[in-house]
Amino acid sequence: GQIVDRIQNSDPGWTAERVLGAYARQATLAHEQTNCLTEVMISDALKEARELDRNFAITKQIKGPLHGVPISFKDMYQVKGYDNSIGMTRYCNQHSVEDAGLVSQVRDAGGVLFVKTNVPQTPLAFECANPVFGRTTNPYNPDYTCGGSSGWEAALLACDGSALGFGSDIGGSLRIPAAFCGIYSFKPGYARFGSSTGIRRTTPGFEGIHVCRGPMGRSVDDIELACRLFFGKPSQLNEWLPPVPYRDATLAKKLKFGYYKSDALVRASPPVQRAVQETVDALRRQGHECTEFMLPDMVEAGRLFIAMTSADKYETLLSHVGPDPKDASLFLPNITPRLPAFIRTFVAFCLRVFVKDSIFSHLFVWEAHGFDGLICPVNALPTIRHGTTKDLAVLAFTTGIYNVVDHPVGIVPVTRVDEVKDVLSDIWRSSGIKGSLLLYGKIYERQKNPLYDATKLHGIPVGVQIVGKSWEDEKVIEMMKIVDAALGERVFGPGSWSPKHL
């Protein structure tokens, strides 16, 4: 919004071309530090920016709400004249012949597309590495991941290398990277956000859990702007998307939030629990009611997720990998085929048709508690070391549960790991359930080089999930504003990152 306003007001030095130049330099720095870019489209973007400036000089009218805003896209989206290889060699050097629907919508709004960002080898991984572009690192510590599968987008935005980005989410792909990198993101409910055409898919025809498209940004305002523009907006007459535009939500002065600091999968680490508690404390100071509750069976949520994503043994998903070596992060696709096919197929059908309603409508009885929203962890860890996803893939169930029930979820950064506050204290060790003893041991009790180390993780961002009911996406965005304001000044948003962090 600020970029558009300054260009529209003809503020000295503010033109689409100069704004693009500033972001192009920052994106270059971000790539040098994190290896986050795939397609670099700056030459064509400069032509678009100059054309915007020429037209504005003549008409004094902006093209649209994103006039001159540098925009980045996850690599899966087609951009005419460029690859969308999604990190697989079989799709390299195959330039797209047209823009994806959402890309066209962004252009029509005046946005300037200038880079695309990397992805894992498949969307079912939250560690970003593939054989084509290599590994992307966390902008705050190169030994740790930026998350996935929209992780490179998050790394770029955290480094101020883009003004607004677009990704996707099937089990946490918009949310995990946002939390790991200290930015904002939003996973809408299915079929709320923008066009779905022109996206390279590794699971065509898959209906078990739908991929959600959504925005990533450096403020809640960024998220709201994108949702206002693209909610209920298909790009083709034959595209199925409910014509439900953004609907302003009016919230009560006093809200009731449910919260949990850990789930039964494995006990959340100290900074993750602290982030939830600090959010709850901030909301209570503003007069909101916050009630702690126990999340229903996370193991069942995991079973649902695996069953609904693996009915074909992930054969369709893995068929796109071709001759490329499989990355170690592909835990679920590698382990699930060991289950008999008839079990996977039948269980997936039953869970989708019957159990989703009968179990999860029971587990998430919002009216019984009267909750307006939920505050909860994004992951048990603030981030993970490279190469450890193969042991920790199930941690994504903490976000994946909300894909199963199709609830809208926003991410707000809260705090950072503190090597003093966030040690494994006796109080932490003695409080709550451990969850999976296998996971607990790997994460916290390993004698050499434990996966959780507050000293090594010092300074890594930690965020929270803000969850709402289905079809209450706009209410979630309003709750994100309330949480963000209640937490007050923090070192997040534009200008909060610099190379000194590495």
Side-chain angles (χ1 to χ4, degrees):
Q2 293 181 359
I3 291 173
V4 179
D5 289 344
R6 287 182 176 274
I7 293 175
Q8 189 172 25
N9 294 334
S10 299
D11 288 354
W14 285 83
T15 65
E17 180 179 355
R18 296 192 69 172
V19 169
L20 177 63
Y23 275 95
R25 286 189 293 273
Q26 197 66 18
T28 301
L29 177 60
H31 183 66
E32 290 174 350
Q33 299 292 335
T34 66
N35 187 40
C36 58
L37 302 182
T38 57
E39 302 298 317
V40 178
M41 308 175 288
I42 294 173
S43 178
D44 286 340
L46 279 170
K47 295 176 185 177
E48 293 180 26
R50 288 166 181 161
E51 183 65 20
L52 287 173
D53 288 336
R54 280 193 292 269
N55 290 336
F56 181 74
I58 295 170
T59 67
K60 297 303 178 184
Q61 298 292 318
I62 60 173
K63 184 176 182 179
L66 295 177
H67 182 101
V69 177
I71 303 290
S72 53
F73 270 85
K74 188 176 181 177
D75 194 65
M76 63 193 292
Y77 291 89
Q78 292 178 3
V79 175
K80 185 177 180 180
Y82 293 90
D83 285 1
N84 65 327
S85 65
I86 57 173
M88 298 180 183
T89 58
R90 67 185 302 173
Y91 296 127
C92 290
N93 303 314
Q94 299 178 20
H95 296 346
S96 301
V97 297
E98 61 182 2
D99 285 340
L102 185 58
V103 170
S104 295
Q105 291 171 336
V106 167
R107 290 193 197 277
D108 290 344
V112 180
L113 280 72
F114 75 119
V115 291
K116 292 209 295 179
T117 56
N118 213 353
V119 293
Q121 198 171 29
T122 78
L124 289 180
F126 66 95
E127 181 179 352
C128 275
N130 65 64
V132 177
F133 298 105
R135 184 189 305 282
T136 296
T137 59
N138 190 288
Y140 293 96
N141 189 325
D143 296 330
Y144 290 84
T145 184
C146 57
S149 63
S150 305
W152 282 275
E153 195 67 37
L156 177 68
L157 285 158
C159 298
D160 292 323
S162 176
L164 182 65
F166 295 92
S168 62
D169 191 307
I170 193 172
S173 300
L174 283 164
R175 291 162 287 157
I176 295 172
F180 285 6
C181 296
I183 65 166
Y184 299 77
S185 73
F186 183 69
K187 182 202 82 66
Y190 174 62
R192 285 301 312 271
F193 189 92
S195 171
S196 63
T197 62
I199 298 174
R200 189 178 296 281
R201 304 178 187 279
T202 54
T203 53
F206 180 70
E207 295 293 325
I209 298 178
H210 293 287
V211 176
C212 298
R213 302 162 298 283
M216 307 175 82
R218 297 173 297 165
S219 69
V220 183
D221 288 343
D222 294 344
I223 301 302
E224 181 183 9
L225 173 62
C227 292
R228 284 185 177 276
L229 288 176
F230 303 121
F231 268 12
K233 189 175 182 181
S235 65
Q236 298 178 351
L237 292 177
N238 63 349
E239 181 182 355
W240 189 86
L241 185 69
V244 182
Y246 196 94
R247 304 165 297 177
D248 287 303
T250 301
L251 274 58
K253 291 184 178 180
K254 179 181 179 180
L255 300 176
K256 183 175 182 180
F257 291 93
Y259 74 94
Y260 55 91
K261 294 186 288 186
S262 188
D263 55 48
L265 186 63
V266 67
R267 185 183 302 170
S269 59
V272 171
Q273 294 196 30
R274 180 167 61 83
V276 174
Q277 189 62 56
E278 288 182 2
T279 302
V280 167
D281 292 344
L283 289 169
R284 284 172 172 163
R285 286 194 294 270
Q286 298 301 314
H288 301 291
E289 181 181 352
C290 298
T291 303
E292 188 169 12
F293 75 105
M294 176 63 72
L295 185 73
D297 193 351
M298 277 298 296
V299 176
E300 185 64 27
R303 289 173 181 159
L304 281 165
F305 187 88
I306 292 175
M308 288 196 286
T309 59
S310 67
D312 72 340
K313 301 187 294 184
Y314 293 117
E315 287 180 357
T316 303
L317 179 75
L318 294 176
S319 68
H320 298 263
V321 176
D324 297 343
K326 293 180 182 177
D327 190 78
S329 64
L330 301 182
F331 170 82
L332 287 177
N334 284 331
I335 193 68
T336 306
R338 299 175 189 175
L339 299 175
F342 77 92
I343 293 179
R344 287 188 307 272
T345 305
F346 178 72
V347 171
F349 171 78
C350 291
L351 290 173
R352 177 63 178 170
V353 176
F354 303 111
V355 181
K356 179 179 178 180
D357 289 336
S358 63
I359 289 183
F360 275 90
S361 62
H362 170 68
L363 296 181
F364 286 91
V365 183
W366 290 81
E367 288 75 15
H369 297 284
F371 293 148
D372 292 290
L374 308 179
I375 307 294
C376 54
V378 181
N379 195 281
L381 292 169
T383 181
I384 62 171
R385 285 202 309 272
H386 298 302
T388 58
T389 308
K390 64 183 186 297
D391 297 321
L392 303 175
V394 293
L395 294 184
F397 293 162
T398 302
T399 47
I401 186 174
Y402 296 113
N403 296 84
V404 173
V405 296
D406 193 28
H407 286 346
V409 188
I411 298 297
V412 171
V414 177
T415 185
R416 296 178 186 274
V417 180
D418 186 291
E419 60 186 347
V420 177
K421 294 180 180 178
D422 297 322
V423 296
L424 298 178
S425 65
D426 291 339
I427 295 176
W428 179 87
R429 292 182 186 278
S430 61
S431 60
I433 60 173
K434 292 183 177 180
S436 164
L437 296 181
L438 179 63
L439 284 175
Y440 186 91
K442 285 183 177 180
I443 296 172
Y444 303 116
E445 294 183 334
R446 184 180 291 176
Q447 293 299 313
K448 292 184 179 180
N449 206 18
L451 296 180
Y452 175 76
D453 186 321
T455 300
K456 293 180 179 178
L457 287 164
H458 182 77
I460 292 289
V462 189
V464 295
Q465 294 190 93
I466 301 170
V467 185
K469 304 174 190 176
S470 295
W471 290 98
E472 292 192 353
D473 305 63
E474 295 87 350
K475 185 175 179 179
V476 173
I477 293 172
E478 291 300 317
M479 290 189 291
M480 289 173 69
K481 292 180 187 178
I482 289 171
V483 168
D484 201 42
L487 288 167
E489 291 294 325
R490 289 129 37 236
V491 188
F492 295 107
S496 61
W497 178 89
S498 74
K500 68 180 177 60
H501 285 108
L502 297 172

